[in-house]
Amino acid sequence: MTINKKEKIKVSVVSYLNSQPFVYGLQHSDIIHDIDLQLDIPSVCAKKLIEGTVDIGLIPVAVIPELKEYYIISDYCIGAVGKVSSVMLYSQVPLKKIKNILLDYQSRTSVALVKVLSHHFWKITPTWLETSSNYEDKINIETAAVIIGDRTFGLEKKYAFTYDLAEEWQKYTHLPFVFACWVANKKISPIFTNNFNKALKMGLDNRPQLIIELIQKANYTIDVDTYLHKNISYSYNDEKQRALTLFLKYLDALYL
């Protein structure tokens, strides 16, 4: 008689530095035996959840409206209160003189955020340019670029003007920003959800040990401790929920 093994819950998580505490927690807790953990860039996380090839994803919040069914299952997110330092608009000229903006192909929320900021707050109407790999070198006197994640590290001195998109959002709304949430495309059992949150919390609680391990593996051009403790705000609290609701409202108005 063949006994079928319990089917694992498929989980897609962003592979950037900012999500490493989550990855650490999932990999070092018992829940790892119940999940198929997949490391992806944000746009792929979103694609997998929308297509149903995974059950849970740390997805860019801009794609939430595209899901037929969704449940935000976690007390944690990838957010920022003020500067995030890794979701940036780089330019050689001030905002009002930008004619084109290259959009990071790895992102969905950051692309949506720069469009919301441009339309509702900066009052500029650039031409939006889609990208593929190695587009960063195309920044010039007329063309700026949104660059996100680990690829932003060390770029702050390369361009004349830098705009931190989370900081810009807070400047106008007085709210934090939520870049990515843990979202399921189906109902997940409360027991699993509870254990999942415990694993994420364990990863966050062990950031000091994780940071030591990360620094030993790679030569980062940023202060990893500051980035993971101050730039990234992980709690998905009431204020962040209000911020997410407002952002999706602005986004909806943008595409009407």
Side-chain angles (χ1 to χ4, degrees):
M1 180 178 178
T2 302
I3 300 175
N4 292 324
K5 292 183 179 180
K6 180 181 176 182
E7 188 173 349
K8 293 186 176 183
I9 292 179
K10 297 179 179 66
V11 179
S12 173
V13 58
V14 177
S15 57
Y16 293 157
L17 177 61
N18 58 25
S19 62
Q20 286 306 303
F22 291 152
V23 175
Y24 185 93
L26 294 172
Q27 290 180 334
H28 289 80
S29 66
D30 290 338
I31 204 169
I32 193 63
H33 303 298
D34 301 320
I35 64 175
D36 171 11
L37 187 62
Q38 304 172 26
L39 301 179
D40 299 298
I41 60 174
S43 57
V44 173
C45 285
K47 185 173 185 290
K48 286 183 175 181
L49 197 70
I50 291 169
E51 294 178 349
T53 57
V54 297
D55 308 300
I56 297 170
L58 181 61
I59 66 163
V61 297
V63 306
I64 288 177
E66 298 179 32
L67 291 162
K68 295 179 181 178
E69 183 179 5
Y70 75 89
Y71 305 89
I72 296 177
I73 64 164
S74 178
D75 303 324
Y76 305 101
C77 68
I78 300 294
V81 182
K83 286 185 178 182
V84 68
S85 297
S86 56
V87 180
M88 309 295 294
L89 175 68
Y90 295 108
S91 176
Q92 298 292 21
V93 295
L95 285 171
K96 297 297 183 182
K97 293 186 178 182
I98 294 173
K99 293 185 178 180
N100 311 300
I101 294 182
L102 295 156
L103 301 174
D104 196 321
Y105 67 97
Q106 294 193 12
S107 172
R108 295 289 293 275
T109 296
S110 304
V111 165
L113 178 55
V114 77
K115 290 182 177 181
V116 165
L117 288 168
S118 295
H119 179 77
H120 293 287
F121 303 113
W122 294 339
K123 305 300 182 183
I124 61 174
T125 55
T127 298
W128 307 109
L129 304 176
E130 301 296 327
T131 64
S132 57
S133 59
N134 301 318
Y135 70 94
E136 297 89 346
D137 293 336
K138 296 180 181 178
I139 295 174
N140 57 41
I141 200 69
E142 293 185 341
T143 303
V146 175
I147 304 176
I148 73 164
D150 300 0
R151 289 169 301 141
T152 63
F153 301 157
L155 293 183
E156 63 274 3
K157 296 180 180 179
K158 188 174 180 180
Y159 304 103
F161 295 87
T162 61
Y163 301 93
D164 187 302
L165 299 191
E167 183 181 36
E168 290 292 309
W169 167 265
Q170 188 186 51
K171 181 193 299 184
Y172 292 103
T173 66
H174 308 291
L175 287 169
F177 192 76
V178 181
F179 289 99
C181 281
W182 287 103
V183 178
N185 54 18
K186 62 191 69 174
K187 289 186 177 180
I188 304 293
S189 78
I191 293 175
F192 178 88
T193 300
N194 184 56
N195 291 335
F196 190 78
N197 274 290
K198 285 182 178 178
L200 299 180
K201 183 178 185 300
M202 189 270 283
L204 292 170
D205 290 344
N206 282 276
R207 273 174 287 180
Q209 175 60 32
L210 170 63
I211 289 167
I212 292 172
E213 295 179 11
L214 289 170
I215 292 174
Q216 289 174 343
K217 292 178 182 178
N219 183 26
Y220 289 98
T221 57
I222 63 163
D223 184 331
V224 178
D225 188 273
T226 297
Y227 182 66
L228 293 183
H229 277 101
K230 294 182 178 179
N231 292 127
I232 306 299
S233 178
Y234 291 100
S235 62
Y236 184 58
N237 54 23
D238 290 343
E239 194 174 37
K240 291 217 184 70
Q241 290 177 36
R242 290 197 299 274
L244 177 55
T245 299
L246 180 62
F247 173 66
L248 293 178
K249 180 180 177 181
Y250 276 131
L251 190 59
D252 183 58
L254 191 66
Y255 294 117
L256 285 178

